[in-house]
Amino acid sequence: SQKIEQNSEALNIQEGKTATLTCNYTNYSPAYLQWYRQDPGRGPVFLLLIRENEKEKRKERLKVTFDTTLKQSLFHITASQPADSATYLCALDNSNSGYALNFGKGTSLLVTP
Amino acid sequence: EAGVVQSPRYKIIEKKQPVAFWCNPISGHNTLYWYLQNLGQGPELLIRYENEEAVDDSQLPKDRFSAERLKGVDSTLKIQPAELGDSAVYLCASSLGTGNTGELFFGEGSRLTVL
């Protein structure tokens, strides 16, 4: 069966450090992978998209890598700030269902001063 | 530009009662999605529309759930009758179109509590 797995435990890091979140998938052949941020009581907000033929993508303090051999994406936030505290969701297109996005459970990140 | 608008934000009903959620997508977005999100889980797709056509409703529990998107713009999601297990957040999202690898724009969600 298809699975999208993200760190189930919350990630606690100190302000200024780099946060690294993991997304692993099985039985998908995604053309692209997306990362979203979700704050409590709010809808998810798009952060980054990386295509299958791209190894790395950057946007300001964010960096995403995509390894289709390992079936894994890593999401990095450098120089983390307390305002980065949120849940981060990994999403893959599902070619079996018309390319609609399937989401992982998300990883909760807490950045402490 | 206005984002995806959903209403109501919160709804509390007793089991077996009906409930309806409304979504107004971003202007020009042909594709509309309804997702369900349980606490501590990621969003799960219920139904996807391309304009007014439901192109993927395989995850929609059709015995009690129904959806429509008249004129290819606004959409409503209905549950009748509601069960205790339906308590969740119902998220609406829109995008320019499938095949387009662009982002999804989500509304704030409608939180349903069934007592």
Side-chain angles (χ1 to χ4, degrees), chain B residues 64-81:
Chain B
R64 298 183 300 106
F65 286 64
S66 64
E68 61 181 9
R69 190 184 185 196
L70 299 176
K71 300 182 181 179
V73 182
D74 294 0
S75 178
T76 57
L77 177 69
K78 298 178 181 177
I79 308 174
Q80 182 171 11

PDB file of all heavy atoms in Angstrom, chain B residues 64-81:
ATOM      1  N   ARG B  64     -23.412   8.676   3.169  1.00  0.00           N
ATOM      2  CA  ARG B  64     -23.837   9.807   3.989  1.00  0.00           C
ATOM      3  C   ARG B  64     -23.271  11.147   3.541  1.00  0.00           C
ATOM      4  O   ARG B  64     -23.741  12.192   3.968  1.00  0.00           O
ATOM      5  CB  ARG B  64     -23.439   9.568   5.445  1.00  0.00           C
ATOM      6  CG  ARG B  64     -24.088   8.357   6.091  1.00  0.00           C
ATOM      7  CD  ARG B  64     -23.704   8.207   7.546  1.00  0.00           C
ATOM      8  NE  ARG B  64     -22.258   8.044   7.704  1.00  0.00           N
ATOM      9  CZ  ARG B  64     -21.456   9.007   8.166  1.00  0.00           C
ATOM     10  NH1 ARG B  64     -21.946  10.181   8.519  1.00  0.00           N
ATOM     11  NH2 ARG B  64     -20.158   8.776   8.299  1.00  0.00           N
ATOM     12  N   PHE B  65     -22.246  11.120   2.717  1.00  0.00           N
ATOM     13  CA  PHE B  65     -21.616  12.348   2.255  1.00  0.00           C
ATOM     14  C   PHE B  65     -22.041  12.640   0.814  1.00  0.00           C
ATOM     15  O   PHE B  65     -22.148  11.715  -0.007  1.00  0.00           O
ATOM     16  CB  PHE B  65     -20.092  12.237   2.288  1.00  0.00           C
ATOM     17  CG  PHE B  65     -19.485  12.290   3.661  1.00  0.00           C
ATOM     18  CD1 PHE B  65     -19.737  11.306   4.601  1.00  0.00           C
ATOM     19  CD2 PHE B  65     -18.636  13.337   4.005  1.00  0.00           C
ATOM     20  CE1 PHE B  65     -19.159  11.354   5.867  1.00  0.00           C
ATOM     21  CE2 PHE B  65     -18.053  13.384   5.265  1.00  0.00           C
ATOM     22  CZ  PHE B  65     -18.315  12.396   6.185  1.00  0.00           C
ATOM     23  N   SER B  66     -22.218  13.911   0.528  1.00  0.00           N
ATOM     24  CA  SER B  66     -22.471  14.331  -0.848  1.00  0.00           C
ATOM     25  C   SER B  66     -21.827  15.689  -1.055  1.00  0.00           C
ATOM     26  O   SER B  66     -21.598  16.442  -0.100  1.00  0.00           O
ATOM     27  CB  SER B  66     -23.965  14.401  -1.149  1.00  0.00           C
ATOM     28  OG  SER B  66     -24.586  15.392  -0.356  1.00  0.00           O
ATOM     29  N   ALA B  67     -21.520  15.974  -2.292  1.00  0.00           N
ATOM     30  CA  ALA B  67     -20.893  17.263  -2.608  1.00  0.00           C
ATOM     31  C   ALA B  67     -21.393  17.713  -3.963  1.00  0.00           C
ATOM     32  O   ALA B  67     -21.824  16.903  -4.798  1.00  0.00           O
ATOM     33  CB  ALA B  67     -19.374  17.150  -2.599  1.00  0.00           C
ATOM     34  N   GLU B  68     -21.354  19.016  -4.148  1.00  0.00           N
ATOM     35  CA  GLU B  68     -21.702  19.550  -5.453  1.00  0.00           C
ATOM     36  C   GLU B  68     -20.910  20.823  -5.702  1.00  0.00           C
ATOM     37  O   GLU B  68     -20.480  21.501  -4.764  1.00  0.00           O
ATOM     38  CB  GLU B  68     -23.199  19.821  -5.562  1.00  0.00           C
ATOM     39  CG  GLU B  68     -23.744  20.817  -4.574  1.00  0.00           C
ATOM     40  CD  GLU B  68     -25.248  21.013  -4.727  1.00  0.00           C
ATOM     41  OE1 GLU B  68     -25.879  20.247  -5.477  1.00  0.00           O
ATOM     42  OE2 GLU B  68     -25.783  21.934  -4.106  1.00  0.00           O
ATOM     43  N   ARG B  69     -20.721  21.114  -6.968  1.00  0.00           N
ATOM     44  CA  ARG B  69     -20.037  22.336  -7.358  1.00  0.00           C
ATOM     45  C   ARG B  69     -20.781  22.891  -8.576  1.00  0.00           C
ATOM     46  O   ARG B  69     -20.394  22.676  -9.711  1.00  0.00           O
ATOM     47  CB  ARG B  69     -18.574  22.082  -7.699  1.00  0.00           C
ATOM     48  CG  ARG B  69     -17.793  23.384  -7.874  1.00  0.00           C
ATOM     49  CD  ARG B  69     -16.358  23.155  -8.301  1.00  0.00           C
ATOM     50  NE  ARG B  69     -15.635  24.419  -8.344  1.00  0.00           N
ATOM     51  CZ  ARG B  69     -14.472  24.598  -8.967  1.00  0.00           C
ATOM     52  NH1 ARG B  69     -13.889  23.579  -9.598  1.00  0.00           N
ATOM     53  NH2 ARG B  69     -13.887  25.777  -8.952  1.00  0.00           N
ATOM     54  N   LEU B  70     -21.831  23.598  -8.269  1.00  0.00           N
ATOM     55  CA  LEU B  70     -22.653  24.145  -9.320  1.00  0.00           C
ATOM     56  C   LEU B  70     -21.927  25.271 -10.029  1.00  0.00           C
ATOM     57  O   LEU B  70     -21.264  26.094  -9.396  1.00  0.00           O
ATOM     58  CB  LEU B  70     -23.976  24.651  -8.732  1.00  0.00           C
ATOM     59  CG  LEU B  70     -24.841  23.570  -8.056  1.00  0.00           C
ATOM     60  CD1 LEU B  70     -26.065  24.195  -7.436  1.00  0.00           C
ATOM     61  CD2 LEU B  70     -25.210  22.485  -9.052  1.00  0.00           C
ATOM     62  N   LYS B  71     -22.029  25.293 -11.343  1.00  0.00           N
ATOM     63  CA  LYS B  71     -21.436  26.345 -12.168  1.00  0.00           C
ATOM     64  C   LYS B  71     -19.918  26.396 -12.047  1.00  0.00           C
ATOM     65  O   LYS B  71     -19.292  27.382 -12.439  1.00  0.00           O
ATOM     66  CB  LYS B  71     -22.031  27.715 -11.839  1.00  0.00           C
ATOM     67  CG  LYS B  71     -23.532  27.787 -12.065  1.00  0.00           C
ATOM     68  CD  LYS B  71     -24.080  29.181 -11.771  1.00  0.00           C
ATOM     69  CE  LYS B  71     -25.582  29.210 -11.994  1.00  0.00           C
ATOM     70  NZ  LYS B  71     -26.166  30.545 -11.692  1.00  0.00           N
ATOM     71  N   GLY B  72     -19.338  25.364 -11.458  1.00  0.00           N
ATOM     72  CA  GLY B  72     -17.886  25.286 -11.416  1.00  0.00           C
ATOM     73  C   GLY B  72     -17.213  26.313 -10.552  1.00  0.00           C
ATOM     74  O   GLY B  72     -16.017  26.594 -10.746  1.00  0.00           O
ATOM     75  N   VAL B  73     -17.940  26.883  -9.583  1.00  0.00           N
ATOM     76  CA  VAL B  73     -17.318  27.887  -8.712  1.00  0.00           C
ATOM     77  C   VAL B  73     -17.423  27.416  -7.257  1.00  0.00           C
ATOM     78  O   VAL B  73     -16.615  26.614  -6.807  1.00  0.00           O
ATOM     79  CB  VAL B  73     -17.950  29.271  -8.907  1.00  0.00           C
ATOM     80  CG1 VAL B  73     -17.250  30.309  -8.036  1.00  0.00           C
ATOM     81  CG2 VAL B  73     -17.864  29.685 -10.377  1.00  0.00           C
ATOM     82  N   ASP B  74     -18.465  27.880  -6.553  1.00  0.00           N
ATOM     83  CA  ASP B  74     -18.646  27.494  -5.157  1.00  0.00           C
ATOM     84  C   ASP B  74     -18.957  26.012  -5.050  1.00  0.00           C
ATOM     85  O   ASP B  74     -19.467  25.380  -5.987  1.00  0.00           O
ATOM     86  CB  ASP B  74     -19.795  28.282  -4.540  1.00  0.00           C
ATOM     87  CG  ASP B  74     -19.490  29.766  -4.453  1.00  0.00           C
ATOM     88  OD1 ASP B  74     -18.386  30.165  -4.884  1.00  0.00           O
ATOM     89  OD2 ASP B  74     -20.351  30.516  -3.976  1.00  0.00           O
ATOM     90  N   SER B  75     -18.680  25.488  -3.877  1.00  0.00           N
ATOM     91  CA  SER B  75     -18.969  24.075  -3.630  1.00  0.00           C
ATOM     92  C   SER B  75     -19.552  23.903  -2.237  1.00  0.00           C
ATOM     93  O   SER B  75     -19.263  24.693  -1.323  1.00  0.00           O
ATOM     94  CB  SER B  75     -17.685  23.244  -3.730  1.00  0.00           C
ATOM     95  OG  SER B  75     -17.937  21.880  -3.444  1.00  0.00           O
ATOM     96  N   THR B  76     -20.393  22.893  -2.084  1.00  0.00           N
ATOM     97  CA  THR B  76     -20.899  22.519  -0.778  1.00  0.00           C
ATOM     98  C   THR B  76     -20.628  21.049  -0.528  1.00  0.00           C
ATOM     99  O   THR B  76     -20.667  20.229  -1.443  1.00  0.00           O
ATOM    100  CB  THR B  76     -22.408  22.784  -0.644  1.00  0.00           C
ATOM    101  OG1 THR B  76     -23.091  22.071  -1.685  1.00  0.00           O
ATOM    102  CG2 THR B  76     -22.720  24.248  -0.757  1.00  0.00           C
ATOM    103  N   LEU B  77     -20.345  20.751   0.710  1.00  0.00           N
ATOM    104  CA  LEU B  77     -20.147  19.380   1.173  1.00  0.00           C
ATOM    105  C   LEU B  77     -21.186  19.121   2.253  1.00  0.00           C
ATOM    106  O   LEU B  77     -21.302  19.906   3.188  1.00  0.00           O
ATOM    107  CB  LEU B  77     -18.739  19.203   1.750  1.00  0.00           C
ATOM    108  CG  LEU B  77     -18.401  17.826   2.340  1.00  0.00           C
ATOM    109  CD1 LEU B  77     -18.304  16.783   1.236  1.00  0.00           C
ATOM    110  CD2 LEU B  77     -17.080  17.905   3.116  1.00  0.00           C
ATOM    111  N   LYS B  78     -21.943  18.062   2.091  1.00  0.00           N
ATOM    112  CA  LYS B  78     -23.011  17.760   3.031  1.00  0.00           C
ATOM    113  C   LYS B  78     -22.814  16.392   3.676  1.00  0.00           C
ATOM    114  O   LYS B  78     -22.335  15.458   3.021  1.00  0.00           O
ATOM    115  CB  LYS B  78     -24.370  17.789   2.324  1.00  0.00           C
ATOM    116  CG  LYS B  78     -24.729  19.139   1.729  1.00  0.00           C
ATOM    117  CD  LYS B  78     -26.065  19.079   1.002  1.00  0.00           C
ATOM    118  CE  LYS B  78     -26.401  20.431   0.376  1.00  0.00           C
ATOM    119  NZ  LYS B  78     -27.676  20.378  -0.391  1.00  0.00           N
ATOM    120  N   ILE B  79     -23.188  16.319   4.924  1.00  0.00           N
ATOM    121  CA  ILE B  79     -23.194  15.046   5.647  1.00  0.00           C
ATOM    122  C   ILE B  79     -24.601  14.839   6.206  1.00  0.00           C
ATOM    123  O   ILE B  79     -25.135  15.707   6.888  1.00  0.00           O
ATOM    124  CB  ILE B  79     -22.177  15.044   6.807  1.00  0.00           C
ATOM    125  CG1 ILE B  79     -20.790  15.476   6.335  1.00  0.00           C
ATOM    126  CG2 ILE B  79     -22.094  13.629   7.408  1.00  0.00           C
ATOM    127  CD1 ILE B  79     -19.778  15.627   7.468  1.00  0.00           C
ATOM    128  N   GLN B  80     -25.180  13.697   5.866  1.00  0.00           N
ATOM    129  CA  GLN B  80     -26.518  13.410   6.379  1.00  0.00           C
ATOM    130  C   GLN B  80     -26.756  11.907   6.415  1.00  0.00           C
ATOM    131  O   GLN B  80     -26.759  11.268   5.353  1.00  0.00           O
ATOM    132  CB  GLN B  80     -27.578  14.087   5.500  1.00  0.00           C
ATOM    133  CG  GLN B  80     -28.998  13.874   5.991  1.00  0.00           C
ATOM    134  CD  GLN B  80     -30.017  14.711   5.250  1.00  0.00           C
ATOM    135  OE1 GLN B  80     -29.707  15.317   4.217  1.00  0.00           O
ATOM    136  NE2 GLN B  80     -31.228  14.763   5.742  1.00  0.00           N
ATOM    137  N   PRO B  81     -26.937  11.325   7.591  1.00  0.00           N
ATOM    138  CA  PRO B  81     -26.843  11.939   8.903  1.00  0.00           C
ATOM    139  C   PRO B  81     -25.411  11.902   9.428  1.00  0.00           C
ATOM    140  O   PRO B  81     -24.626  11.019   9.069  1.00  0.00           O
ATOM    141  CB  PRO B  81     -27.730  11.025   9.743  1.00  0.00           C
ATOM    142  CG  PRO B  81     -27.527   9.678   9.121  1.00  0.00           C
ATOM    143  CD  PRO B  81     -27.343   9.924   7.641  1.00  0.00           C
TER     144      PRO B  81
END
